Amino acid sequence: MNERVNVKTLFDLTGKVALVTGGSNLGYDAAEALAELGATVAVTRRRKEEADATAALLAKDTGSEVVGIELEVTDEASWKRAVDELIGRYSKIDILVNNAGGRQVSVVPETIEDDPSFEFLETRLLEDWKYTMDANLTSVFLGCRSVAPYMKKAHSGKIINMASIDGIVGRDLRIYPGSGLSPTVPDYLASKAGVINLTKGIGVSLAPFGIYVNAISPGGFYRQQPERFVENYTKLVPLGRMGRDRIDLKGSIAYLASGASDYTVGHNLVIDGGLTSW
Ligand SMILES: NC(=O)c1ccc[n+]([C@@H]2O[C@H](COP(=O)([O-])OP(=O)(O)OC[C@H]3O[C@@H](n4cnc5c(N)ncnc54)[C@H](O)[C@@H]3O)[C@@H](O)[C@H]2O)c1
C-alpha cells in the first residue's frame, strides 16, 4: 500500500517556476491560478511593456513573484530568448502553459449578417489561414520543443496546451445571424484540432521523461459579447451560461499543472458547460 498523500499537497506549487504565454484574459487566469498555488510565474506578452504591466498587476493581485517576458509565439528565436531569460533567472522551468493564440481576419464579407449558412471557406485569405495556424498550432510546437530539453534534464515538467471546443466540433452557425458577431474561421477550428492531437503525440513521447503534456478545451467565455449572441449561445449550453473569467478555467489549470494529474497524459480537458456533450 502506498503512503497517503494529502490532496492539498498534490495541488501545492510552492517552489515551481511557470511560464504562461499571452497573459491577457484566460492567460491571466491561468497565471493567477498558478501564482495562487505558490508558483513563481513568468507571463508573456508581445511587447515588453505590456508583459511588465501584466506581471505587476498579477504580483499585486496574488502577492507572488511574477515577471514579464516579451514573446512572439510564432517566432522560434523569440522563444529561445524568452526561455533563456527564464532559465538565466531561475535555472529551471517546471510548467509551461501554451495559451497565446488567436486568428487574423483581414476581410469580413458583407453577407455575413444575412446568411445563416455563411462560412468563410471561399473568402478566407490564405495569408490569414497561415497566420492562424502559426499563432495557434506552430506556437504550441515551438513552445514544447523550447522547454523540453530543460524539463528532460530535470526529469519533470507539466505542459498545458490551450485548445478549444472548436477543435472538437464545428460551430452551430444558427447563433450568428443578427448577433453582431461573425462565425469563427476554418483555420481556427483546424488549428485547435491540431493542438488536441499534437498534445497526444507529444504527450506520449515525453511521458517517459517525466513530462506531462495535456490540453484544455474551453467553450465560449463571456466578454461583453452582444446580448443577442449571448442569448443564442447559452441556449446551446446545458449549464445555461458562458464561461466566467477569473473562475471557470482555474481548476483545470491547477489540476493539469500539479501533482494532482500525475497519471494523466495527452488528455484534452473540456471546460464548456456541457456544450459538446449533447
Ligand atoms: N475566450 C474563449 O472563449 C476561448 C475559448 C476557447 C479557447 N480559447 C483559447 O484560449 C486562449 C486564450 O484565449 P483568450 O480568450 O484569453 O484570448 P485573448 O485574445 O484575450 O488572449 C490571447 C493572448 O495571446 C496573445 N497572442 C496572440 N497571438 C500571439 C502571438 N503571435 N505572439 C504572442 N502573443 C500572441 C494575445 O496578444 C493575447 O494576449 C487562446 O488560445 C484561445 O484560442 C479561448
Side-chain angles (χ1 to χ4, degrees), residues 24-26 72-73 99 131 162-163 188 192 218-219 221 223:
S24 53
N25 294 313
L26 294 184
E72 166 53 62
V73 293
N99 166 79
Y131 172 78
M162 201 64 84
Y188 188 78
K192 292 300 187 179
F221 273 61
R223 302 273 165 73

Side-chain angles (χ1 to χ4, degrees), residues 202-226:
I202 298 180
V204 299
S205 67
L206 291 184
F209 298 96
I211 305 167
Y212 298 77
V213 188
N214 291 287
I216 296 175
S217 281
F221 273 61
Y222 179 65
R223 302 273 165 73
Q224 280 83 43
Q225 290 95 339

Side-chain angles (χ1 to χ4, degrees), residues 63-276:
S64 293
E65 183 172 342
V66 186
V67 296
I69 292 184
E70 184 178 298
L71 173 65
E72 166 53 62
V73 293
T74 60
D75 176 5
E76 190 158 27
S78 180
W79 269 105
K80 182 167 177 359
R81 283 192 297 276
V83 171
D84 282 354
E85 186 177 337
L86 199 61
I87 294 293
R89 204 184 266 253
Y90 300 110
S91 309
K92 64 171 188 165
I93 170 161
D94 300 297
I95 300 161
L96 168 65
V97 183
N98 277 313
N99 166 79
R103 72 211 84 184
Q104 180 170 291
V105 183
S106 308
V107 180
V108 180
E110 282 170 15
T111 53
I112 230 160
E113 279 296 302
D114 322 314
D115 181 358
S117 66
F118 181 83
E119 38 74 14
F120 277 91
L121 188 58
E122 284 149 58
T123 56
R124 194 81 180 117
L125 294 184
L126 195 52
E127 69 201 58
D128 283 356
W129 163 283
K130 285 180 177 164
Y131 172 78
T132 309
M133 297 304 276
D134 275 353
N136 289 335
L137 181 55
T138 311
S139 62
V140 170
F141 165 70
L142 292 176
C144 291
R145 83 162 169 189
S146 302
V147 302
Y150 300 98
M151 290 184 172
K152 274 185 178 170
K153 213 186 287 174
H155 203 80
S156 161
K158 297 273 181 178
I159 299 177
I160 302 172
N161 298 326
M162 201 64 84
S164 167
I165 58 167
D166 286 331
I168 305 172
V169 292
R171 283 275 174 106
D172 185 340
L173 296 174
R174 293 170 299 183
I175 64 177
Y176 291 102
S179 74
L181 294 183
S182 320
T184 199
V185 292
D187 27 309
Y188 188 78
L189 279 75
S191 63
K192 292 300 187 179
V195 170
I196 291 168
N197 212 40
L198 181 65
T199 299
K200 293 184 207 287
I202 298 180
V204 299
S205 67
L206 291 184
F209 298 96
I211 305 167
Y212 298 77
V213 188
N214 291 287
I216 296 175
S217 281
F221 273 61
Y222 179 65
R223 302 273 165 73
Q224 280 83 43
Q225 290 95 339
E227 204 175 315
R228 179 81 178 275
F229 175 84
V230 175
E231 208 175 281
N232 292 347
Y233 188 91
T234 54
K235 280 188 199 144
L236 303 178
V237 184
L239 275 182
R241 64 172 176 82
M242 300 189 76
R244 298 167 299 184
D245 279 336
R246 310 293 292 277
I247 306 172
D248 287 328
L249 182 79
K250 290 171 78 173
S252 60
I253 293 287
Y255 172 65
L256 291 176
S258 70
S261 58
D262 271 0
Y263 205 52
T264 304
V265 168
H267 185 60
N268 177 35
L269 184 46
V270 178
I271 310 290
D272 70 348
L275 189 148
T276 52

